[in-house]
Amino acid sequence: MSDRLFIFDTTLRDGEQVPGCQLNTVEKIQVAKALEALGVDVIEAGFPISSPGDFNSVIEISKAVTWPTICALTRSVQKDIDVAADALQYAKHKRIHTGIGTSDSHIKYKFNSNREEIIERAVAAVKYAKRYVEDVEFYAEDAGRTDNEYLARVVEAVIKAGATVVNIPDTTGYCLPSEYGAKIKYLMENVKGVHNAILSTHCHNDLGMATANTIAGVLNGARQVEVTINGIGERAGNTALEEIAMILKSHHEIKIDTNINTQKIYPTSRLVSSLMNMPVQPNKAIVGRNAFAHSSGIHQDGVLKNVQTYEIIDPKDVGIDDNSIVLTARSGRAALKNRFSVLGVELSQEKLDKVYEEFLKLADRKKDIHDDDILVLAGADRTTNQRIKIDYLQVTSGVGVQSVASLGLNISGEKFEACASGNGPVDAAIKALKKIIDRHMSLKEFTIQAISKGSDDVGKVHMQVEYDGQMYYGFGANTDIIAASVEAYIDCINKFRS
Ligand code: KIV
Ligand code: ZN
């Protein structure tokens, strides 16, 4: 008989901590519903004390989602736990995730404390959270670098205090797979009462070992994994949900099952990437654009003879469907609505009408409309209420001539115009923009990405602009990459706090 592994998704908490990837509450609800359809067991919906936005998102996700457990993060601080319990009031199944740093460096430098006091604080936090909810998870932050003997004492104490799940985070992504696996084994063998709780992995990818460490943890007894879609997360990210799900599905000798409907993996990956404006690297395992693309002659020949020669996963098993290009200028609202629903996005009638208008404009310019194109359109109305908008943009450029741009902006209903020349069309357009909006801002990062393959493709532009000591992230999408670049710059300016 197979064992059951619980999937704890933290895309909306650890994943959302990535600068520039913040979602609004409506977008978080879309992601939460997609995670529910994907089959995750637990959705970590936020850190309620950290901001009113996080508090509100936990409330709204709790109302929107039916069967997964909704989890809220806290420190080992009573006020955090009070606020988390309040935010979880509408959740049908709720969990408080509380914890404290347990490595010597956390104890000494972060808490100016000692080992005994940390155990007391951990136990007190679990007991306090138990006053509100039955299901309490404890995290031993930096467990990866915590000495195993002491970690076992912490784990034993919090289980005795009522923790139902104990999370063993490799917070810095430092552990080797053999070391992390041995840590879980040590806890399974040395903690009295370990079977009264579930041990959970939570691995970061700083050295590229998050997935390997997670699997090592599972093979040694962990029965919950903390993961994110596309492996997003601070720094190098967290363990990718899709990788764990497909490793367990492909390796039949590991008799451990999850509740993941793997055919929803690809649409969920696209949704998260699109809403968070976070491109997926083309060679990313399972969900990257090239993950199933065989380009060498030897591979193509082998795959044509028998796909199993070079393909260990059927792309259909992760929801990649070759027939996904089904929308054209003649498609109606119902077809568009249906495609959104396959992608896990439910739109109100009003929003659908708006997106449909934009869709028709795009379909006039572009022959094939891909899923990514319509996901960009669905996320696009974040710019419609912005203070600064483009009225027009005209650029001339070519080989052997200087690029010149003329730009018209509408700023809170007033019209402004400027002309500039530059080193290439984007430079000229941005110089014109800076003539109208004269501030000390500088471009720090600029990436252009084509969504699919054609020359009529939509280009996505991500920018990072520094202003007044702060970094701002902006995004633009257009079949004209110069317009997309100006949109992205304006998106940054619209976010300036002063
Ligand atoms: O990486 C980490 O240690 C965490 C904890 C807060 C669970 O994200
Ligand atoms: Zn983390």
Side-chain angles (χ1 to χ4, degrees):
M1 214 187 75
S2 294
D3 259 13
R4 170 83 150 83
L5 180 70
F6 294 96
I7 303 290
F8 175 115
D9 182 279
T10 184
T11 305
L12 294 173
R13 200 277 299 169
D14 227 355
E16 217 243 350
Q17 278 172 220
V18 178
C21 287
Q22 279 66 38
L23 300 178
N24 62 37
T25 302
V26 173
E27 292 164 331
K28 284 187 187 176
I29 291 170
Q30 271 187 38
V31 172
K33 286 189 153 181
L35 293 173
E36 179 171 37
L38 178 64
V40 309
D41 299 286
V42 185
I43 296 175
E44 189 163 47
F47 181 11
I49 194 129
S50 68
S51 71
D54 255 39
F55 180 83
N56 201 34
S57 300
V58 175
I59 296 229
E60 295 306 325
I61 290 170
S62 299
K63 289 181 190 163
V65 156
T66 310
W67 71 264
T69 296
I70 304 300
C71 179
L73 187 80
T74 80
R75 293 166 297 179
S76 281
V77 171
Q78 288 195 352
K79 182 75 188 147
D80 283 29
I81 296 171
D82 294 336
V83 173
D86 195 14
L88 287 169
Q89 61 186 291
Y90 298 104
K92 287 107 202 152
H93 312 280
K94 49 186 99 173
R95 177 182 296 178
I96 290 177
H97 188 189
T98 190
I100 196 162
T102 54
S103 64
D104 286 337
S105 67
H106 276 233
I107 295 174
K108 184 164 167 208
Y109 301 115
K110 202 166 147 183
F111 301 112
N112 188 22
S113 183
N114 59 60
R115 286 182 167 193
E116 298 316 310
E117 204 177 273
I118 290 295
I119 294 188
E120 278 168 29
R121 286 171 69 172
V123 166
V126 170
K127 285 191 173 159
Y128 192 72
K130 283 295 252 195
R131 290 163 52 164
Y132 288 112
V133 294
E134 176 45 36
D135 192 2
V136 174
E137 173 167 342
F138 176 83
Y139 64 85
E141 194 178 7
D142 206 14
R145 293 187 301 169
T146 302
D147 133 62
N148 285 349
E149 228 173 280
Y150 174 63
L151 185 60
R153 286 182 54 213
V154 176
V155 174
E156 193 164 311
V158 295
I159 293 176
K160 203 163 157 217
T164 43
V165 180
V166 185
N167 177 10
I168 310 298
D170 183 21
T171 305
T172 60
Y174 176 75
C175 285
L176 293 168
S178 53
E179 202 180 347
Y180 190 76
K183 191 173 281 289
I184 299 293
K185 185 170 193 290
Y186 182 88
L187 297 173
M188 292 299 294
E189 287 173 354
N190 292 283
V191 169
K192 227 185 285 154
V194 74
H195 296 290
N196 298 328
I198 290 173
L199 293 190
S200 179
T201 66
H202 178 115
C203 298
H204 281 266
N205 204 30
D206 299 67
L207 292 171
M209 295 189 288
T211 296
N213 283 345
T214 299
I215 289 293
V218 171
L219 293 178
N220 283 286
R223 285 297 171 267
Q224 177 181 280
V225 290
E226 305 196 3
V227 290
T228 60
I229 300 293
N230 301 334
I232 62 162
E234 267 192 296
R235 310 185 308 277
N238 292 56
T239 305
L241 180 151
E242 61 276 8
E243 293 174 14
I244 299 301
M246 293 316 292
I247 288 170
L248 295 178
K249 192 174 167 93
S250 311
H251 279 263
H252 303 289
E253 75 281 12
I254 308 176
K255 300 213 173 317
I256 294 178
D257 289 332
T258 70
N259 188 49
I260 295 297
N261 174 356
T262 60
Q263 290 185 347
K264 300 266 185 204
I265 284 178
Y266 192 67
T268 312
S269 158
R270 303 313 314 156
L271 178 72
V272 168
S273 161
S274 168
L275 289 177
M276 290 195 165
N277 295 326
M278 180 85 170
V280 174
Q281 72 192 63
N283 58 330
K284 164 82 184 63
I286 317 294
V287 290
R289 195 187 331 128
N290 296 345
F292 299 98
H294 301 276
S295 57
S296 87
I298 294 176
H299 280 211
Q300 285 180 348
D301 182 54
V303 167
L304 287 174
K305 287 177 176 146
N306 182 335
V307 350
Q308 283 178 2
T309 47
Y310 286 102
E311 232 169 61
I312 56 167
I313 299 172
D314 181 345
K316 290 199 178 66
D317 279 353
V318 295
I320 295 179
D321 125 38
D322 293 339
N323 302 319
S324 61
I325 308 164
V326 290
L327 296 170
T328 68
R330 283 171 303 286
S331 304
R333 269 184 189 69
L336 185 64
K337 188 172 181 203
N338 178 266
R339 195 68 213 159
F340 273 123
S341 136
V342 170
L343 294 169
V345 180
E346 300 301 334
L347 299 180
S348 65
Q349 192 56 44
E350 193 194 348
K351 175 91 197 246
L352 179 69
D353 289 345
K354 263 200 218 160
V355 172
Y356 185 65
E357 263 174 50
E358 293 305 312
F359 161 76
L360 289 180
K361 283 188 214 155
L362 180 64
D364 274 346
R365 282 179 282 147
K366 193 170 185 286
K367 193 160 57 68
D368 298 328
I369 305 289
H370 296 249
D371 290 347
D372 281 333
D373 296 325
I374 64 168
L375 285 170
V376 167
L377 294 181
D381 83 2
R382 65 176 84 192
T383 53
T384 55
N385 299 325
Q386 304 282 23
R387 201 169 60 85
I388 308 168
K389 289 181 201 150
I390 302 178
D391 247 358
Y392 66 86
L393 170 66
Q394 189 178 32
V395 183
T396 49
S397 69
V399 178
V401 291
Q402 229 197 351
S403 302
V404 179
S406 45
L407 174 69
L409 293 186
N410 178 325
I411 306 182
S412 305
E414 252 193 277
K415 309 259 183 197
F416 296 84
E417 295 180 319
C419 234
S421 57
N423 185 13
V426 173
D427 188 45
I430 288 183
K431 282 192 173 135
L433 172 69
K434 285 178 153 179
K435 279 191 178 171
I436 302 175
I437 300 169
D438 182 18
R439 302 219 196 167
H440 279 289
M441 47 195 180
S442 60
L443 183 58
K444 293 292 175 198
E445 203 178 295
F446 174 32
T447 55
I448 302 181
Q449 195 203 14
I451 291 180
S452 45
K453 291 171 190 124
S455 55
D456 60 351
D457 199 1
V458 173
K460 286 168 121 184
V461 173
H462 298 263
M463 273 187 186
Q464 206 181 333
V465 168
E466 189 176 358
Y467 171 66
D468 202 16
Q470 298 272 350
M471 271 317 173
Y472 295 90
Y473 292 80
F475 172 72
N478 201 302
T479 48
D480 177 334
I481 55 164
I482 302 154
S485 306
V486 177
E487 277 172 17
Y489 211 119
I490 291 177
D491 191 29
C492 293
I493 298 172
N494 274 319
K495 292 173 183 162
F496 289 179
R497 288 192 196 105
S498 53

